[in-house]
Amino acid sequence: MLEALEKIKSAEEQNERVKEKLLADLTDYESEKKASLQKKRETLRSEFSTALSEREQVLSQELETEEQELSRNAEDAITLMEENYHSKKQQTIDKIIERVISEYGGQ
């Protein structure tokens, strides 16, 4: 009977050591996974930041190109309006002169 109790006690001690070893292994595994997760988060943040920066740069370049084109179009429109103005102005002056001459004669 004493021998059986000693075997039970030895088995319980062995079980306790195995339990402690498993808990230590579990703690190590948990630490490794947390570190791995943190590294992945940092990598994703970095990649997101890089992608966002690249997208921002592309949009900025597109905006600048669009602004330049709008500016050129505005300048072209202004030039065309000035040409039309000068053309109509001269036509109007010529018509006024013709009307004055026809009305009052060429004195």
Side-chain angles (χ1 to χ4, degrees):
M1 176 94 161
L2 187 58
E3 188 178 315
L5 289 174
E6 285 182 17
K7 283 185 179 181
I8 291 173
K9 183 179 178 182
S10 176
E12 285 177 350
E13 289 173 353
Q14 178 67 24
N15 284 344
E16 189 63 32
R17 286 192 296 274
V18 169
K19 178 183 167 187
E20 289 175 9
K21 169 79 167 96
L22 289 173
L23 285 174
D25 290 347
L26 181 60
T27 301
D28 290 345
Y29 179 77
E30 182 182 20
S31 295
E32 289 174 12
K33 289 300 176 182
K34 283 183 179 180
S36 175
L37 180 61
Q38 183 63 28
K39 185 176 180 181
K40 286 180 181 180
R41 281 182 182 151
E42 290 171 2
T43 300
L44 287 173
R45 281 188 184 118
S46 176
E47 289 173 355
F48 177 76
S49 177
T50 300
L52 184 62
S53 177
E54 289 173 356
R55 181 67 178 146
E56 188 177 292
Q57 185 177 7
V58 166
L59 289 174
S60 177
Q61 289 172 346
E62 288 175 357
L63 179 61
E64 184 178 335
T65 301
E66 188 174 341
E67 286 175 347
Q68 290 172 351
E69 185 162 335
L70 287 172
S71 179
R72 279 193 300 270
N73 290 343
E75 288 173 7
D76 291 346
I78 290 170
T79 301
L80 181 60
M81 289 171 64
E82 286 175 346
E83 289 173 358
N84 287 340
Y85 169 77
H86 291 301
S87 171
K88 298 294 181 187
K89 177 182 172 185
Q90 189 58 48
Q91 288 176 3
T92 304
I93 291 171
D94 291 344
K95 285 184 181 181
I96 291 172
I97 291 172
E98 285 177 18
R99 183 178 285 166
V100 167
I101 290 174
S102 71
E103 186 115 359
Y104 298 105
Q107 296 176 358

